[in-house]
Amino acid sequence: MLEKLLKRISQGGNLTAQSLAAEFGVSRALMEAMLADLARAGYLRAVERCGKDNCRSCGEAPVCKVQGKVWVQTQKGSGE
Amino acid sequence: MSEPSPAFTIALAGQPNVGKSTVYNFLTGEAQYVSNWPGKTSETRAGTFEFEGDLIRLVDLPGTYSLSANSVEEQIAREYIIEQRPDVLLVILDAVTLERNLYLVAELLHLPVKLVLGINRMDLAAGQGMHIEPQVLEAALHVPVVPLVAQHGEGIREAVAAAVRLARSPQSWQPNRPVIRADHQQVLAAVEDLIRGHVPAHYPPGWIAMKLLEGDRVVTDTMKARLGAAWAPVHDLLVQHDDAFLAVAGGRYDWIARMVRAAVVRPRSGEVSQTDRIDHIATHPFWGVVILLAVMAALFGLTFALGVPLQGWLEQHVVQAAAAAVPALLRGAPDWLVSLAAHGIIGGVGTVLTLLPILVLFFAGMGVLEDSGYMARAAFVMDRWMHPFGLHGKSFLPLSFGVGCNVPAVMESRIIEEPSARRITILLTPFVPCFPRLSVVVLLAPIFFGAKALAYSLLLFSLPLIFIALYGKIFHELFQKGKHNAFIMELPLYQKPSARAILKSVGARVVDFLQGASTIILVVSVAMWALSYFPGGQIESSYLALWGRQLAPLSRLLGMDWQMAVALITSMLRSENTLSTLSVLYGAGAQHGLAAALAGQIAPAAGLAFLSMQVLFVPCVATLAAVRTESKSWGWMFAYVALRLATALAVGVLVYQVGRLLGWGA
């Protein structure tokens, strides 16, 4: 299932964890776990806004919430 | 008298917050012993209880999502199970997230321990429309499954009874285990052969081999140390099959899907599907854009309707009043000092500070949209809209961050590995109008366009987006040859916005704004005042006028006077400087406010050209520094400045000349 998921992600398009969960017939929580596993193995990467640890005093911290959680495909994930 | 030995040991396992502690407390009551695991800071609890005449020892393992040694808790759990070998592991699963919980079961089934599954919160799952058939799941897994509502004590004793039965008849333990994908089974066997005889005591070689294929850090380090020179062939095999993780973990997910297929019917109602129902419209390719435009129009409309009158009041009653009081307060002081205080400091910084009500309203509105979860949908909708223009995937992330501030947004382009794609994103990101740039438009649009300010503002905000799309398309075709980069968003559930979170976000942004006003805007205001005052005390004969008039031929094409051109240039230090510079150069202060100073002097066509240039002009120096740093090229940075300058000038000239032809030039 993970390989199929990786192939599907490589095809691109507007992807959300919800839409992928529906497409693969699994729950959203399981899809999120699969994405986390792919990230752990280096196929995806969870996007962190700036890598700084001063969110509490950062004026832009609220903007971080704009995206929700985001995963991007790495070069390993796209097979390059 | 010593306590009798327990007949069985049952360990409790499960993910965090699934109700393990409730089960533990129900069974042991107060008879519990709390300590740390040897060599770890993680706490463990162990106790005893009687069940049908037998004394049973109960050990509460730390909550874990998997057994992959990603955390101390996961390491403790797997070490305890392998080394201490409890008679039965009672795994507590959350019915609401059953599939996710089964991943841990998929891992536990490879350990030398017998399992009983207790599915907790069956009532909550039923309330959310989930229908779970424990007996169907039991038949599929070949593992005893007991439904629980631990909070009410329901099913707990039945689960213990199932565990005792299993402990007494170990031959009945024939679970349906997940298998590694067929094409990697030989690799698994080969690794197992290579490590046999070297694995630590109690550890099954098959499990160790599987963990090596998964890339488990702790197991890899352990085996590397134990194998010594014999590690090389194992390492070679692992390198050759570096995709084995997909085969191992993928096998588990396939197994989960098979196990729940008949046993679980997912919800048709409840919180998740309510979010899905809203998203059906909010993320729709057409209606999603309509909703986004309506939401943004409402936000700006509200900001104009409430913020602009407040801003006007502050300007009249605070800034002008303060400026008018300066001559009296500084009686006897030289003229230049009075002028500096009234026009340079109060006129410049004060005018910028009057923006506060507008910014507070705007930030609060944005805070509501962000905290409710809507802005994630807005980003998603925008991403879809930009696909036809060659902008997609990773490039969209920094672009959407740019609304807050272009500097971290440019830095975010690091997520793009491919150099040309990264540079394109670095170039496009600062086109996104940041909050300070937007605030200049919000303040000046009502002055230039009166009742039509909202419509013109929306038009002005769409200008940068048009150029992002246009340049994105050109750059993408030139450098990327249509290559796609994928990304996935986890859209959060909609929630009621928290007043505390919004206040915190507004507070943080206001503090940032005030810090800017008290530092760089103050310095630029004073510098602009000095250049516009000296050498003769008259603005028309000042150094700035002398220099500004050099721009006259260009300014004429744009319908602007030199003061406006200078104001635009000072925005390169900080966007709000445009306002303070205009205030200083147009003499806003004691006699009249900025609105009055500008209203009579700038034709609508020139105002529109000016604001068009403002949103497209070269970004602030901090952003340019970020462009230089991230692109690692001075050439790219200067090329970028030239592109922005050329774009802003071309649009400014076009807007003014067309506006003039339409009769807006007077």
Side-chain angles (χ1 to χ4, degrees), chain A residues 1 3 9 14-18 25 27-28 33 37 45 47 49 60 62-63 65-67 69 71 73, chain B residues 99-100 103 181 253-254 266 371 376 384 394 400-401 404 412 415 486-491 505 509:
Chain A
M1 191 180 281
E3 277 200 328
I9 293 168
N14 277 88
L15 300 177
T16 63
Q18 290 94 321
S27 67
R28 175 179 154 154
D37 257 354
R45 194 155 78 83
V47 174
R49 181 155 155 70
E60 301 311 318
V63 186
K65 286 202 258 175
V66 168
Q67 290 289 344
K69 197 168 184 179
W71 307 93
Q73 202 173 22
Chain B
E99 284 177 314
R100 177 73 183 89
Y103 190 88
R181 211 179 57 209
Y253 287 114
D254 289 336
R266 286 202 192 83
D371 209 51
R384 192 197 303 262
K394 298 178 190 178
S400 58
F401 288 153
E412 189 60 39
I415 63 167
F487 80 109
I488 309 112
M489 292 178 71
E490 278 182 24
L491 299 177
S505 109
R509 284 168 170 169

Side-chain angles (χ1 to χ4, degrees), chain B residues 444-483:
Chain B
L444 291 180
I447 298 175
F448 292 155
F449 313 119
K452 294 177 183 167
L454 178 59
Y456 278 102
S457 297
L458 291 175
L459 180 72
L460 286 162
F461 297 145
S462 66
L463 257 184
L465 301 181
I466 291 168
F467 279 95
I468 288 169
L470 179 67
Y471 289 138
K473 181 77 175 165
I474 294 169
F475 293 150
H476 191 75
E477 291 304 321
L478 279 177
F479 303 113
Q480 288 281 286
K481 314 287 182 204
K483 199 165 74 177

Side-chain angles (χ1 to χ4, degrees), chain B residues 9-247:
Chain B
T9 297
I10 297 175
L12 280 171
Q15 293 189 353
N17 307 315
V18 290
K20 253 172 352 91
S21 296
T22 312
V23 173
Y24 181 88
N25 291 337
F26 179 88
L27 289 171
T28 62
E30 296 301 314
Q32 52 183 270
Y33 163 71
V34 180
S35 71
N36 282 347
W37 294 94
K40 319 277 185 189
T41 54
S42 187
E43 196 176 74
T44 180
R45 296 191 301 173
T48 53
F49 66 96
E50 274 196 22
F51 183 80
E52 294 177 355
D54 287 321
L55 185 68
I56 296 175
R57 184 165 185 262
L58 189 66
V59 177
D60 189 12
L61 294 174
T64 62
Y65 289 100
S66 71
L67 295 177
S68 302
N70 294 315
S71 65
V72 174
E73 286 76 16
E74 291 177 349
Q75 223 175 310
I76 288 169
R78 75 186 193 187
E79 281 173 11
Y80 173 83
I81 295 164
I82 293 172
E83 292 171 12
Q84 304 299 319
R85 306 265 173 125
D87 295 292
V88 176
L89 200 59
L90 176 53
V91 188
I92 308 299
L93 311 175
D94 188 338
V96 178
T97 54
L98 183 62
E99 284 177 314
R100 177 73 183 89
N101 283 230
L102 280 172
Y103 190 88
L104 179 63
V105 176
E107 290 214 74
L108 289 168
L109 283 171
H110 286 287
L111 295 181
V113 66
K114 294 178 276 298
L115 312 183
V116 168
L117 307 185
I119 308 182
N120 192 21
R121 295 179 182 145
M122 290 290 284
D123 52 341
L124 279 182
Q128 291 191 14
M130 275 181 85
H131 183 67
I132 299 170
E133 303 260 16
Q135 66 280 19
V136 177
L137 192 61
E138 181 171 312
L141 290 163
H142 298 178
V143 173
V145 177
V146 182
L148 306 177
V149 180
Q151 202 178 3
H152 301 144
E154 291 171 21
I156 295 177
R157 295 195 74 79
E158 288 81 350
V160 173
V164 170
R165 273 198 305 277
L166 191 58
R168 285 194 171 130
S169 54
Q171 71 285 355
S172 66
W173 179 240
Q174 300 290 334
N176 182 349
R177 293 188 173 94
V179 288
I180 183 171
R181 211 179 57 209
D183 59 341
H184 277 72
Q185 284 174 7
Q186 283 186 334
V187 185
L188 180 68
V191 173
E192 197 176 331
D193 284 344
L194 286 169
I195 62 171
R196 204 179 300 280
H198 298 277
V199 299
H202 309 299
Y203 281 75
W207 183 81
I208 293 279
M210 194 177 289
K211 284 288 157 194
L212 286 173
L213 287 182
E214 276 183 68
D216 185 286
R217 182 179 40 82
V218 174
V219 170
T220 303
D221 289 347
T222 304
M223 292 311 297
K224 204 170 165 180
R226 294 181 76 92
L227 283 163
W231 170 252
V234 178
H235 178 255
D236 290 346
L237 204 56
L238 295 175
V239 170
Q240 274 173 37
H241 298 277
D242 68 341
D243 62 339
F245 172 83
L246 294 176

Side-chain angles (χ1 to χ4, degrees), chain B residues 523-553:
Chain B
V523 170
V524 171
S525 296
V526 171
M528 284 299 115
W529 168 83
L531 288 169
S532 65
Y533 186 84
F534 294 109
Q538 295 295 319
I539 194 166
E540 291 303 321
S541 59
S542 67
Y543 294 124
L544 200 60
L546 199 65
W547 176 66
R549 286 193 185 102
Q550 305 299 313
L551 300 170

Side-chain angles (χ1 to χ4, degrees), chain B residues 507-569:
Chain B
R509 284 168 170 169
V510 165
V511 166
D512 182 56
F513 171 75
L514 292 177
Q515 278 171 348
S518 63
T519 53
I520 197 160
I521 295 174
L522 176 64
V523 170
V524 171
S525 296
V526 171
M528 284 299 115
W529 168 83
L531 288 169
S532 65
Y533 186 84
F534 294 109
Q538 295 295 319
I539 194 166
E540 291 303 321
S541 59
S542 67
Y543 294 124
L544 200 60
L546 199 65
W547 176 66
R549 286 193 185 102
Q550 305 299 313
L551 300 170
L554 193 59
S555 298
R556 267 196 298 278
L557 280 174
L558 296 159
M560 299 177 196
D561 50 28
W562 64 267
Q563 290 95 325
M564 292 172 81
V566 169
L568 209 52
I569 291 167

Side-chain angles (χ1 to χ4, degrees), chain B residues 394-418:
Chain B
K394 298 178 190 178
S395 301
F396 182 71
L397 301 173
L399 286 173
S400 58
F401 288 153
V403 179
C405 175
N406 286 170
V407 176
V410 170
M411 289 162 68
E412 189 60 39
S413 62
R414 289 175 192 179
I415 63 167
I416 301 164
E417 291 95 345
E418 207 276 309

Side-chain angles (χ1 to χ4, degrees), chain B residues 488-649:
Chain B
I488 309 112
M489 292 178 71
E490 278 182 24
L491 299 177
L493 293 175
Y494 287 107
Q495 61 174 9
K496 191 178 162 193
S498 142
R500 197 176 160 203
I502 294 166
L503 281 175
K504 198 176 156 191
S505 109
V506 171
R509 284 168 170 169
V510 165
V511 166
D512 182 56
F513 171 75
L514 292 177
Q515 278 171 348
S518 63
T519 53
I520 197 160
I521 295 174
L522 176 64
V523 170
V524 171
S525 296
V526 171
M528 284 299 115
W529 168 83
L531 288 169
S532 65
Y533 186 84
F534 294 109
Q538 295 295 319
I539 194 166
E540 291 303 321
S541 59
S542 67
Y543 294 124
L544 200 60
L546 199 65
W547 176 66
R549 286 193 185 102
Q550 305 299 313
L551 300 170
L554 193 59
S555 298
R556 267 196 298 278
L557 280 174
L558 296 159
M560 299 177 196
D561 50 28
W562 64 267
Q563 290 95 325
M564 292 172 81
V566 169
L568 209 52
I569 291 167
T570 58
S571 73
M572 283 180 62
L573 286 173
R574 192 175 161 110
S575 294
E576 298 97 322
N577 280 332
T578 300
L579 296 172
S580 57
T581 305
L582 284 175
S583 299
V584 172
L585 298 184
Y586 279 97
Q591 296 84 16
H592 42 56
L594 181 61
L598 290 175
Q601 301 191 42
I602 296 166
L608 189 58
F610 177 76
L611 288 181
S612 301
M613 289 189 72
Q614 168 73 25
V615 294
L616 294 171
F617 197 64
V618 181
C620 67
V621 283
T623 303
L624 291 180
V627 169
R628 157 73 188 93
T629 307
E630 296 305 315
S631 67
K632 297 182 178 63
S633 162
W634 285 104
W636 271 81
M637 193 200 80
F638 286 119
Y640 179 65
V641 171
L643 177 76
R644 291 293 294 257
L645 209 51
T647 306
L649 283 172

